[in-house]
Amino acid sequence: MAMDREQVLRTAAALLARKSTATMDEVARAAGIGRATLHRHFAGRDALVRALEAYGIREFEAALDRARLDEGGAGDALRRLVAEMENVAELLAFLVTENQLFEGDQVNEGWARLDARVSALFRRGQEQGEFRIDLSPVWLTEALYGLLGSCAWAVMDGRVAKNDFQYMIAELLLGGARRSVEK
Amino acid sequence: MAMDREQVLRTAAALLARKSTATMDEVARAAGIGRATLHRHFAGRDALVRALEAYGIREFEAALDRARLDEGGAGDALRRLVAEMENVAELLAFLVTENQLFEGDQVNEGWARLDARVSALFRRGQEQGEFRIDLSPVWLTEALYGLLGSCAWAVMDGRVAKNDFQYMIAELLLGGARRSVEK
DNA sequence: ACCTAATGAGACGTTGACGTCTCATTCGAT
DNA sequence: ATCGAATGAGACGTCAACGTCTCATTAGGT
């Protein structure tokens, strides 16, 4: 009888990632609960999206913690981050395209904190001579988000194997498509 | 008095790329025409989106033609492609997220043709030893789309300078973030 | 077994965008 | 200058999703 709020958020995230215009009724049925119950826990669609945002930020932050970006080489740290973010990628792809979250004056400050942590990793890689300096940390951060979203979508559509997720993103982001002169 | 259909499509693309849920009324006003006139030329919202899809495919195809992907090194061809696609990036970013276009049984076959042309470029690069072979052409194609969209967004938000658009995408996609062993 | 709180199903009114229509106005060709 | 076609503004009905409410049912603790 007790509604598992966490579980509802996860189901909603999975559904909305595929169909961002899904109805409250569809969200409720996907979660196996009634529409009334959904409304009892999330005042409305806005509240649901906000809750998903908070959930996504929380999960993203947890992934950052687990990846221990300060330890070891920046490249390896990035690989760990990609691995830890695989499960959040779909949700983040949805949230990023939900411009409703970024137009009001009530923009969740969590995003800035997350961006800063990711950017710091790229900056560290540059300062330690591991990453090139002609690509700004801000752009590398955006590129990481973009690749995570693209790959999540490609996996959902069956164009990329789920097992290749981490490798495809990390390798492309680190080494690019060009063959290295030296291995 | 004559409505410039092409111009309307361009304005609609620019608006919908930023706010994909924009109203028909907002689209009309952005284009400087009345809502009634908009409806006279596009039977409804679906028709408008379909017209945008056709327009995007047309522009994308023209960019592919201009880039002459068969000529010269694959890396240089990719650079030309990125350059030619800069103006279509926003529209494509919108179309790709418009899942309405890809769920019915009436999926425009143009996408497959475009994907094939881009994939062929990556495959050529691999066969000629210029690109690495552990990243599939399909994934590289998806990654290109993702980076184009991310960078277009970053430019709109002012996080990346418009002048850096081509360089950031082409360099990241070709060389990655890691410093090359040899220049 | 009882009691309380939560749930599911559904009815109901509201709202916003849609699509259609009318009519006066304006553009542009002749 | 004239005439026909296209436009803008707005009114109107429709419809889907929303948010609220009620009520019977069920779950779970005591």
Side-chain angles (χ1 to χ4, degrees), chain B residues 75-111:
Chain B
D76 292 336
L78 181 59
R79 273 186 248 270
R80 289 196 300 271
L81 178 58
V82 171
E84 295 292 347
M85 290 192 66
E86 179 167 358
N87 292 324
V88 228
E90 287 187 16
L91 175 53
L92 290 183
F94 161 69
L95 292 175
V96 165
T97 63
E98 201 68 5
N99 14 31
Q100 162 202 354
L101 296 173
F102 306 103
E103 48 189 16
D105 43 331
Q106 275 296 351
V107 179
N108 193 315
E109 78 282 355
W111 297 117

Coordinates of all heavy atoms in Angstrom, one line a residue, chain B residues 75-111:
Chain B
G75 N 39.3 13.4 -42.5 CA 39.3 14.4 -41.4 C 38.9 15.8 -42.0 O 38.1 16.5 -41.4
D76 N 39.5 16.2 -43.1 CA 39.2 17.5 -43.7 C 37.8 17.5 -44.2 O 37.1 18.5 -44.1 CB 40.2 17.7 -44.9 CG 41.6 17.9 -44.4 OD1 41.8 18.3 -43.3 OD2 42.5 17.7 -45.2
A77 N 37.3 16.4 -44.7 CA 35.9 16.3 -45.2 C 35.0 16.5 -44.0 O 34.0 17.3 -44.1 CB 35.6 15.0 -45.8
L78 N 35.3 16.0 -42.8 CA 34.5 16.1 -41.6 C 34.5 17.6 -41.2 O 33.5 18.1 -40.8 CB 35.0 15.2 -40.5 CG 34.2 15.3 -39.2 CD1 32.8 14.9 -39.4 CD2 34.8 14.5 -38.1
R79 N 35.7 18.2 -41.3 CA 35.7 19.7 -40.9 C 34.8 20.5 -41.8 O 34.1 21.4 -41.4 CB 37.2 20.2 -41.1 CG 38.0 20.0 -39.8 CD 39.3 20.6 -39.9 NE 40.4 19.6 -39.9 CZ 41.0 19.2 -38.8 NH1 40.7 19.6 -37.7 NH2 41.9 18.2 -38.9
R80 N 34.8 20.2 -43.1 CA 34.0 20.9 -44.1 C 32.5 20.6 -43.7 O 31.7 21.6 -43.7 CB 34.2 20.4 -45.5 CG 35.6 20.9 -46.1 CD 35.6 20.7 -47.6 NE 35.4 19.3 -48.0 CZ 36.4 18.5 -48.2 NH1 37.6 18.8 -48.0 NH2 36.1 17.2 -48.6
L81 N 32.2 19.4 -43.3 CA 30.8 19.1 -43.0 C 30.3 19.9 -41.8 O 29.2 20.5 -41.8 CB 30.7 17.6 -42.7 CG 29.3 17.1 -42.3 CD1 28.2 17.5 -43.4 CD2 29.2 15.6 -42.0
V82 N 31.2 19.9 -40.8 CA 30.8 20.7 -39.6 C 30.6 22.1 -39.9 O 29.6 22.8 -39.5 CB 31.9 20.5 -38.5 CG1 31.6 21.5 -37.3 CG2 32.0 19.1 -38.0
A83 N 31.4 22.7 -40.8 CA 31.3 24.1 -41.2 C 30.0 24.3 -41.9 O 29.3 25.3 -41.6 CB 32.5 24.5 -42.1
E84 N 29.6 23.4 -42.8 CA 28.4 23.6 -43.6 C 27.2 23.3 -42.7 O 26.1 23.8 -43.1 CB 28.4 22.6 -44.8 CG 29.5 22.9 -45.8 CD 29.3 24.2 -46.5 OE1 28.2 24.7 -46.4 OE2 30.2 24.6 -47.2
M85 N 27.3 22.6 -41.6 CA 26.1 22.3 -40.8 C 25.9 23.3 -39.7 O 24.8 23.2 -39.0 CB 26.3 20.9 -40.2 CG 26.2 19.8 -41.3 SD 26.0 18.2 -40.5 CE 24.4 18.3 -39.7
E86 N 26.7 24.2 -39.6 CA 26.6 25.2 -38.4 C 25.2 25.8 -38.4 O 24.5 25.9 -37.4 CB 27.7 26.2 -38.5 CG 27.5 27.3 -37.3 CD 28.7 28.1 -37.2 OE1 29.7 27.9 -37.9 OE2 28.7 29.0 -36.3
N87 N 24.7 26.2 -39.6 CA 23.5 26.9 -39.7 C 22.2 26.0 -39.5 O 21.1 26.5 -39.2 CB 23.3 27.6 -41.0 CG 24.3 28.8 -41.1 OD1 24.6 29.4 -40.2 ND2 24.9 28.9 -42.3
V88 N 22.4 24.7 -39.7 CA 21.3 23.8 -39.5 C 21.2 23.1 -38.2 O 20.3 22.5 -37.8 CB 21.3 22.6 -40.6 CG1 20.0 22.5 -41.2 CG2 22.4 22.8 -41.6
A89 N 22.3 23.3 -37.4 CA 22.4 22.6 -36.1 C 21.3 22.8 -35.2 O 20.7 21.8 -34.7 CB 23.7 23.0 -35.4
E90 N 20.8 24.1 -35.0 CA 19.7 24.3 -34.1 C 18.5 23.6 -34.6 O 17.8 22.9 -33.8 CB 19.4 25.8 -34.1 CG 20.4 26.6 -33.3 CD 19.9 28.1 -33.2 OE1 18.7 28.3 -33.5 OE2 20.7 29.0 -32.9
L91 N 18.2 23.7 -35.9 CA 17.0 23.0 -36.4 C 17.0 21.5 -36.2 O 16.1 20.9 -35.7 CB 16.8 23.3 -37.9 CG 15.6 22.6 -38.6 CD1 14.3 22.8 -37.8 CD2 15.5 23.1 -40.0
L92 N 18.2 20.9 -36.5 CA 18.3 19.5 -36.3 C 18.2 19.1 -34.8 O 17.6 18.1 -34.5 CB 19.7 19.0 -36.8 CG 19.8 19.1 -38.4 CD1 21.2 18.6 -38.8 CD2 18.7 18.3 -39.0
A93 N 18.7 19.9 -34.0 CA 18.6 19.6 -32.5 C 17.2 19.5 -32.1 O 16.8 18.7 -31.3 CB 19.4 20.7 -31.7
F94 N 16.4 20.4 -32.7 CA 14.9 20.4 -32.4 C 14.3 19.2 -33.0 O 13.5 18.5 -32.3 CB 14.3 21.7 -33.0 CG 12.8 21.5 -33.1 CD1 11.9 21.5 -32.0 CD2 12.2 21.5 -34.4 CE1 10.6 21.3 -32.1 CE2 10.8 21.3 -34.5 CZ 10.0 21.3 -33.4
L95 N 14.6 18.9 -34.2 CA 13.9 17.8 -34.9 C 14.2 16.4 -34.2 O 13.4 15.6 -34.1 CB 14.3 17.7 -36.4 CG 13.8 18.9 -37.2 CD1 14.4 18.8 -38.6 CD2 12.3 18.9 -37.3
V96 N 15.5 16.3 -33.8 CA 15.9 15.0 -33.2 C 15.1 14.8 -31.9 O 14.8 13.6 -31.6 CB 17.4 15.0 -32.9 CG1 17.8 13.9 -32.0 CG2 18.2 14.9 -34.3
T97 N 14.8 15.8 -31.2 CA 14.1 15.6 -29.9 C 12.6 15.6 -30.1 O 11.9 15.3 -29.1 CB 14.4 16.8 -28.9 OG1 14.0 18.0 -29.5 CG2 15.9 16.9 -28.7
E98 N 12.2 15.8 -31.3 CA 10.7 15.7 -31.6 C 10.3 14.3 -31.9 O 10.1 13.9 -33.0 CB 10.4 16.7 -32.8 CG 9.0 17.1 -32.8 CD 8.6 18.0 -31.7 OE1 9.5 18.4 -30.9 OE2 7.4 18.4 -31.5
N99 N 10.3 13.5 -30.8 CA 10.0 12.1 -31.0 C 8.8 11.8 -31.8 O 8.6 10.7 -32.3 CB 10.1 11.3 -29.7 CG 10.0 12.2 -28.5 OD1 9.4 13.3 -28.6 ND2 10.6 11.9 -27.4
Q100 N 7.9 12.7 -31.8 CA 6.6 12.5 -32.6 C 7.0 12.1 -34.0 O 6.3 11.3 -34.6 CB 5.9 13.9 -32.7 CG 4.8 13.9 -33.8 CD 4.5 15.4 -34.2 OE1 5.0 16.3 -33.5 NE2 3.7 15.5 -35.2
L101 N 8.1 12.5 -34.5 CA 8.5 12.3 -35.9 C 8.9 10.8 -36.1 O 8.9 10.3 -37.2 CB 9.6 13.2 -36.3 CG 9.3 14.7 -36.4 CD1 10.6 15.5 -36.7 CD2 8.3 14.9 -37.5
F102 N 9.3 10.1 -35.0 CA 9.9 8.8 -35.2 C 9.1 7.7 -34.6 O 9.5 6.6 -34.5 CB 11.3 8.8 -34.6 CG 12.1 9.9 -35.1 CD1 12.4 11.0 -34.3 CD2 12.7 9.8 -36.3 CE1 13.2 12.1 -34.8 CE2 13.5 10.8 -36.8 CZ 13.7 12.0 -36.1
E103 N 7.8 8.0 -34.2 CA 7.1 6.9 -33.5 C 6.0 6.3 -34.4 O 5.7 5.1 -34.3 CB 6.5 7.3 -32.2 CG 5.7 8.7 -32.2 CD 5.4 9.1 -30.8 OE1 6.0 8.6 -29.9 OE2 4.5 10.0 -30.7
G104 N 5.5 7.1 -35.3 CA 4.5 6.5 -36.2 C 5.1 5.6 -37.2 O 6.3 5.3 -37.2
D105 N 4.3 5.1 -38.1 CA 4.8 4.2 -39.2 C 5.2 5.1 -40.4 O 5.6 4.6 -41.4 CB 3.8 3.2 -39.6 CG 2.4 3.8 -39.7 OD1 2.1 4.8 -39.0 OD2 1.6 3.3 -40.5
Q106 N 5.0 6.4 -40.3 CA 5.4 7.3 -41.4 C 6.7 8.0 -41.1 O 6.7 9.3 -41.1 CB 4.2 8.3 -41.6 CG 3.1 7.8 -42.4 CD 3.5 7.5 -43.9 OE1 4.6 7.9 -44.2 NE2 2.7 6.9 -44.7
V107 N 7.7 7.3 -40.9 CA 9.0 7.9 -40.6 C 9.7 8.3 -42.0 O 9.8 7.5 -42.9 CB 10.0 7.0 -39.9 CG1 11.3 7.6 -39.6 CG2 9.3 6.5 -38.6
N108 N 10.0 9.6 -42.0 CA 10.6 10.1 -43.3 C 11.9 9.3 -43.6 O 12.8 9.2 -42.8 CB 10.9 11.6 -43.1 CG 11.3 12.2 -44.4 OD1 12.0 11.7 -45.2 ND2 10.7 13.4 -44.7
E109 N 11.9 8.8 -44.8 CA 13.1 7.9 -45.1 C 14.3 8.8 -45.4 O 15.4 8.3 -45.5 CB 12.8 7.1 -46.4 CG 12.9 7.9 -47.7 CD 11.6 8.8 -47.9 OE1 10.7 8.7 -47.1 OE2 11.6 9.5 -48.9
G110 N 14.2 10.1 -45.4 CA 15.3 11.0 -45.6 C 16.4 10.8 -44.5 O 17.6 10.9 -44.8
W111 N 16.0 10.6 -43.3 CA 16.9 10.4 -42.2 C 17.9 9.3 -42.5 O 19.1 9.4 -42.3 CB 16.2 10.2 -40.9 CG 15.3 11.4 -40.5 CD1 14.0 11.4 -40.3 CD2 15.8 12.7 -40.2 NE1 13.6 12.6 -39.9 CE2 14.6 13.5 -39.8 CE3 17.0 13.3 -40.2 CZ2 14.7 14.8 -39.5 CZ3 17.1 14.7 -39.8 CH2 15.9 15.4 -39.5

